[in-house]
Amino acid sequence: MKQHLAAIARKFISPSMRYELRNVSNVLRDGLGRACFWRWEVARFKLQQESPYEILYIGRKQQREMAKLLIGGKGQQPGTEAEAEAGGSTVNRVVVSELPTPGTLSVPHYLSAVVPLGRSLDDITARYDSELRRSIRKNRPLYEMRQTLSDDEIAMADRDLLRPYATARQGIHAAQFPTEDVFRLAKGVGRLDLITLNGEVVACHLGCEITRAGKRYWSTLRFGYCEAVFSDAKKLREVNSITTFMALEWALANGYDYYDIGLCLARPDDGLLKWKRRRGGDVDSLGNHAYMFIRLPRAGVAQFLWDTPLFAVEGNKLTLHLGLPEGSSDEELATRYHEMVFGGLHKIYLYGAKSSGELFLENLRERYASLKSPPTMERVLSS
């Protein structure tokens, strides 16, 4: 019955409308989950004992780890947060909540990295650094990609590639795709490709098509790698670059408007997001609807945002919030934010003293000037 209803929906509802309906459904589901206030907690802690900022978390207990990731990044290890002392000044308190209130930043959990297509492969790879281009030219001829519809090969990819790689990367927190969803995607609404090196399967790519506002996106859902690849950091870098490049090639050859490299933690200094930015990925919310709501501290905002730069959403537009602490040189600012130049931004807010970072700001404008739609920049006076 469920499959019959899905077939009717595909026939009578446009892909763009199905995308919007899925978004509405996801937003409602997320809202209902957050409305379970009996599952909420109020927790006070510091991510590091020496940190001047106390984190006040208000929300579901199971979402506290996400709050820690957005504030502290992936370098935080379980149990490293220090309990905040009772009493004392709250001037450096950062409130992180699942409940939106006036004056808070709407910080998404995840963002997608999306490559605009509609141009030649050479134009796209011109944004790659020279070392990456050399590696692709050298290694691409050794690899092949082919779609599989075989039950045995789909089961093998799920068992030996997708699941082990996710576990190796995320451990017990790995969000595994259910096996039935892997089969459903591979045989119907998506595509599963096996990647071979000299005839041996070393990786796979699971993806699907998304249509938004009449534009077609080829979206990577998961990559999978065999243990011999993901246990060797050098080999993983090579194979990961090639599989991403091959998915891009396929999307371009099949007339897609965009290639979505996949989800990243919504932290401007996240390593995976940097990796995808170097491959031409622009930041895009792309239907990612889960948010934390962050109230910045009353004092020390510039230092906080230096330590923890943040993406935020205004309406449906992405913004970037950066701190310019007093005493930081233009060279230090340029080094800190060197890899935080993103396509897809609407506005950049720079928090600090009125005269801080003048040369850096000029340099930042120059770096964004080459983009088709550069963001506006706004100073926010703060300590």
Side-chain angles (χ1 to χ4, degrees):
M1 182 64 177
K2 185 177 180 180
Q3 292 178 340
H4 182 63
L5 291 173
I8 293 174
R10 284 194 295 271
K11 182 176 180 180
F12 293 104
I13 302 177
S14 72
S16 292
M17 182 58 69
R18 291 202 298 271
Y19 171 84
E20 296 299 337
L21 289 173
R22 283 196 302 272
N23 272 352
V24 170
S25 174
N26 290 336
V27 169
L28 290 174
R29 188 180 299 114
D30 181 65
L32 288 173
R34 284 191 282 115
C36 300
F37 296 113
W38 56 92
R39 297 177 181 171
W40 283 36
E41 67 172 5
V42 177
R44 298 168 65 244
F45 56 87
K46 292 183 176 182
L47 291 175
Q48 299 294 341
Q49 185 67 53
E50 65 276 12
S51 172
Y53 303 102
E54 172 192 297
I55 310 300
L56 176 64
Y57 173 71
I58 306 169
R60 288 169 292 178
K61 186 174 183 178
Q62 67 268 30
Q63 290 297 323
R64 192 184 347 157
E65 288 299 315
M66 176 54 66
K68 288 169 55 182
L69 277 174
L70 290 174
I71 297 296
K74 292 178 180 176
Q76 294 295 323
Q77 299 298 322
T80 59
E81 74 272 17
E83 185 176 346
E85 296 179 4
S89 173
T90 61
V91 70
N92 283 342
R93 174 177 290 173
V94 179
V95 181
V96 183
S97 175
E98 290 201 273
L99 182 68
T101 56
T104 56
L105 300 180
S106 300
V107 178
H109 292 184
Y110 296 99
L111 292 175
S112 291
V114 174
V115 182
L117 304 179
R119 53 203 168 120
S120 71
L121 194 59
D122 286 343
D123 284 344
I124 295 170
T125 56
R127 288 182 64 179
Y128 294 8
D129 62 52
S130 57
E131 182 180 351
L132 177 56
R133 289 197 300 270
R134 283 195 301 269
S135 176
I136 290 172
R137 282 197 301 269
K138 174 184 175 182
N139 296 304
R140 174 63 183 87
L142 305 176
Y143 291 81
E144 293 184 0
M145 184 173 78
R146 63 175 175 84
Q147 183 180 13
T148 182
L149 297 170
S150 160
D151 286 352
D152 288 344
E153 288 188 328
I154 295 170
M156 179 278 295
D158 179 50
R159 180 186 65 246
D160 299 339
L161 304 174
L162 293 168
R163 290 181 175 277
Y165 178 57
T167 299
R169 288 188 62 194
Q170 305 293 340
I172 61 173
H173 300 296
Q176 301 283 5
F177 261 75
T179 297
E180 57 269 25
D181 284 353
V182 175
F183 273 84
R184 179 177 60 85
L185 287 160
K187 287 179 167 288
V189 297
R191 176 185 172 103
L192 177 66
D193 289 289
L194 299 180
I195 314 298
T196 59
L197 171 60
N198 298 323
E200 180 183 354
V201 175
V202 294
C204 69
H205 171 268
L206 184 66
C208 70
E209 179 177 320
I210 296 172
T211 302
R212 177 175 70 167
K215 300 295 185 180
R216 296 170 65 230
Y217 295 69
W218 181 244
S219 181
T220 289
L221 298 174
R222 291 293 164 86
F223 288 117
Y225 300 98
C226 64
E227 185 174 1
V229 169
F230 68 69
S231 61
D232 182 333
K234 182 179 179 181
K235 193 65 179 177
L236 179 59
R237 284 195 299 271
E238 174 191 313
V239 182
N240 206 5
S241 291
I242 294 298
T243 52
T244 304
F245 182 74
M246 294 173 84
L248 169 66
E249 283 183 315
W250 188 88
L252 191 62
N254 285 272
Y256 284 89
D257 299 294
Y258 297 91
Y259 169 48
D260 168 24
I261 310 178
L263 289 176
C264 311
L265 181 69
R267 268 189 66 104
D269 57 0
D270 178 65
L272 180 58
L273 181 57
K274 291 179 181 179
W275 189 91
K276 293 179 178 181
R277 185 195 66 84
R278 291 194 290 268
R279 284 148 183 82
D282 294 343
V283 287
D284 194 319
S285 57
L286 200 61
N288 301 309
H289 52 84
Y291 298 92
M292 289 286 180
F293 302 94
I294 298 181
R295 183 176 297 280
L296 299 175
R298 293 180 183 177
V301 174
Q303 184 63 50
F304 174 76
L305 288 171
W306 166 272
D307 297 332
T308 305
L310 294 172
F311 288 116
V313 173
E314 294 180 1
N316 60 352
K317 296 177 179 179
L318 278 170
T319 61
L320 176 62
H321 298 253
L322 305 177
L324 311 180
E326 188 174 356
S328 297
S329 69
D330 288 290
E331 182 179 357
E332 289 172 324
L333 293 169
T335 299
R336 171 59 174 148
Y337 298 131
H338 177 69
E339 292 198 74
M340 295 189 201
V341 176
F342 302 98
L345 291 175
H346 168 64
K347 183 181 286 190
I348 299 175
Y349 294 93
L350 299 124
Y351 296 73
K354 185 176 181 180
S355 60
S356 60
E358 285 294 336
L359 290 177
F360 164 72
L361 184 56
E362 181 180 340
N363 176 263
L364 193 64
R365 285 197 178 100
E366 290 177 358
R367 295 187 67 193
Y368 272 101
S370 61
L371 299 184
K372 185 177 180 180
S373 299
T376 58
M377 298 188 188
E378 180 177 324
R379 280 188 175 275
V380 181
L381 295 182
S382 59
S383 60

